[in-house]
Amino acid sequence: MSITAETRLLVRERAGFACEFCGVTETDTAAELTVDHYQPQAKGGSDDPDNLIYSCTKCNAFKSDYWPDSDVQPVLWNPRIELQTCI
C-alpha cells in the first residue's frame, strides 16, 4: 500500500479515529489502527480514499482479502455507505 500521510490522516479523521467495522477507538487500543482497502488491491481495489477503511487489526484480519467473485457470494458490508442509510 502506498498512501500518503495526508491520505492516512484523512481516513483516520473521517472514521473519527475508530474502526469503521466494530467501533474500537485508537484510545481503546492505545495505538493507531490500520488503513485497509475495502476492495482489496489484489481484487482490483485502488488507493483512492473512497476505497480505504480505517480498521482495527482484528477486523482487518477477519476481512482479509475477501471480495465476492460472483453475485451468489455474500456482499461485503461497507460501513460508510450502509451506516449513512440507517441514520
Side-chain angles (χ1 to χ4, degrees):
M1 175 173 19
S2 58
I3 63 167
T4 64
E6 293 81 18
T7 299
R8 181 173 176 73
L9 180 59
L10 176 139
V11 172
R12 290 176 64 221
E13 288 176 338
R14 178 181 67 197
F17 305 97
C19 176
E20 295 183 75
F21 292 114
C22 73
V24 71
T25 68
E26 291 179 355
T27 302
D28 296 331
T29 63
E32 288 187 15
L33 308 180
T34 63
V35 175
D36 185 29
H37 290 83
Y38 174 69
Q39 179 177 358
Q41 287 181 304
K43 308 283 175 103
S46 72
D47 285 340
D48 184 272
D50 288 338
N51 188 47
L52 300 176
I53 299 277
Y54 204 48
S55 177
C56 71
T57 55
K58 286 189 176 192
C59 287
N60 191 351
F62 181 76
K63 177 190 161 286
S64 187
D65 67 348
Y66 177 77
W67 191 252
D69 293 327
S70 70
D71 292 341
V72 296
Q73 291 182 312
V75 175
L76 182 64
W77 178 65
N78 186 323
R80 279 197 312 281
I81 293 171
E82 279 83 8
L83 187 59
Q84 291 174 359
T85 61
C86 295
I87 297 175

